[in-house]
Amino acid sequence: MGEIFGNRSPTAGAMPGVMNLDSVACARCDDGFEPKAKIVNSNGELFHSSCFVCAQCFRPFPEGVFYEFEGRKYCEHDFHVLFAPCCSKCGEFIIGRVIKAMQSTWHPECFCCEMCHKELADLGFIKNQGRALCHECNAKVKAAGMGKYMCQKCHSIIDGEPLRFRGEVYHPYHFNCTGCSQELT
């Protein structure tokens, strides 16, 4: 963000930090500055205060906040409209981390497994019939498609007869006594 010099009249001379207004011009309109003009300094570029505006809507920056892209300055609204991707789930602009998956863009918290709704951004996913699924849900779908079950302990397909306990299924050899680890089947 830039700083605005007050109604100071820089003078020529050998003093450090003092500039001669005859040798500088506005970065936008290329006109010179009047001796008592307010000047905006944005990263070394000087502007008339009336020239320091959004490159898209030509309005002053609200509260001095602007975004710069390819050398042009934009207000927050226009920057989002022009350059920020939209989230495929919520439709809002994405500022910060963008997840690109399934030919779309997502907020990390919006890219979720379509079955269990677990966030997938840092877990990875498997595309299954056009759906983004976590590895666990994909294994369940795959097992169900083969008419089999998935073990709740090791998350692999149960080839034989599953052991059922409290609504969940296990390989029989995973159902052990917690005290002595003896198999209970």
Side-chain angles (χ1 to χ4, degrees), residues 120-183:
L120 297 173
D122 296 319
L123 300 177
F125 73 99
I126 296 172
K127 185 176 178 179
N128 184 311
Q129 298 178 338
R131 301 178 301 171
L133 301 179
C134 67
H135 293 280
E136 189 175 325
C137 288
N138 184 65
K140 285 179 186 176
V141 168
K142 188 176 174 184
M146 296 185 326
K148 300 192 177 195
Y149 296 96
M150 191 178 84
C151 177
Q152 292 298 306
K153 179 163 183 164
C154 70
H155 305 293
S156 63
I157 293 173
I158 302 170
D159 288 320
E161 192 62 35
L163 184 123
R164 297 176 193 279
F165 179 72
R166 293 188 182 170
E168 295 181 339
V169 291
Y170 299 87
H171 285 109
Y173 55 83
H174 284 311
F175 203 69
N176 301 329
C177 174
T178 55
C180 68
S181 297
Q182 180 75 29
E183 192 174 307

Side-chain angles (χ1 to χ4, degrees), residues 15 18 36 44 53 88 120 131 143 145 177:
M15 293 176 57
V18 175
K36 294 194 182 249
V53 294
S88 290
L120 297 173
R131 301 178 301 171
C177 174

Side-chain angles (χ1 to χ4, degrees), residues 90-150:
C90 70
E92 297 292 321
F93 292 117
I94 304 171
I95 301 301
R97 187 173 176 204
V98 177
I99 304 299
K100 291 184 179 185
M102 309 280 291
Q103 299 175 345
S104 295
T105 53
W106 315 79
H107 289 106
E109 61 275 10
C110 290
F111 186 56
C112 299
C113 174
E114 291 187 34
M115 287 181 64
C116 70
H117 308 290
K118 189 185 309 177
E119 286 185 26
L120 297 173
D122 296 319
L123 300 177
F125 73 99
I126 296 172
K127 185 176 178 179
N128 184 311
Q129 298 178 338
R131 301 178 301 171
L133 301 179
C134 67
H135 293 280
E136 189 175 325
C137 288
N138 184 65
K140 285 179 186 176
V141 168
K142 188 176 174 184
M146 296 185 326
K148 300 192 177 195
Y149 296 96
M150 191 178 84

Side-chain angles (χ1 to χ4, degrees), residues 49-100:
S49 57
S50 60
C51 290
F52 191 64
V53 294
C54 174
Q56 183 68 20
C57 67
F58 305 108
R59 289 188 216 135
F61 300 110
E63 299 167 22
V65 175
F66 65 90
Y67 293 80
E68 191 162 355
F69 184 71
E70 295 180 347
R72 300 181 78 195
K73 294 164 181 54
Y74 299 91
C75 65
E76 186 172 21
H77 175 266
D78 287 336
F79 180 80
H80 291 168
V81 169
L82 293 169
F83 305 111
C86 283
C87 178
S88 290
K89 182 177 180 183
C90 70
E92 297 292 321
F93 292 117
I94 304 171
I95 301 301
R97 187 173 176 204
V98 177
I99 304 299
K100 291 184 179 185

